[in-house]
Amino acid sequence: IILNQLTDDTLVKLYEDGNNEAFEVLLLRYKSKVYSYIYLIVRNKELAEDIFQDTFIKAIATIQQGRYVASGKFLGWINRIAQSVSPDRVA
């Protein structure tokens, strides 16, 4: 299987089933968009990097707990996580 040709929802399912490479593909696919989104909110490089990391840790936990709902909108979902992580970090 060529992972980078799969849909986001398929990659999430593969990751849920233990394929760590599937999450790496998602991370590579969206890291610049998610980081840019966070940076636009906080306007601070170090804070954006921290929130970015926290966002993906939270996403990993959610997927591993089987709480990700496949909807074809992974980017929107991950950005909502970023937004929920951000407010308590912004002075």
Side-chain angles (χ1 to χ4, degrees), residues 35-77:
Y35 178 83
S36 297
Y37 176 77
I38 294 167
Y39 185 82
L40 286 172
I41 295 170
V42 299
R43 303 266 182 210
N44 176 294
K45 187 175 184 272
E46 290 79 17
L47 185 56
E49 288 169 2
D50 287 349
I51 292 170
F52 176 85
Q53 193 169 29
D54 291 349
T55 297
F56 275 89
I57 289 169
K58 193 169 181 181
I60 286 168
T62 301
I63 294 167
Q64 288 177 339
Q65 293 164 7
R67 294 188 298 123
Y68 175 79
V69 178
S71 65
K73 308 264 192 264
F74 184 82
L75 181 60
W77 177 74

Side-chain angles (χ1 to χ4, degrees), residues 1 4 6 21 58 67-70 76 86 90:
I1 301 173
N4 63 5
L6 299 176
E21 288 179 44
K58 193 169 181 181
R67 294 188 298 123
Y68 175 79
V69 178
S86 301
V90 179

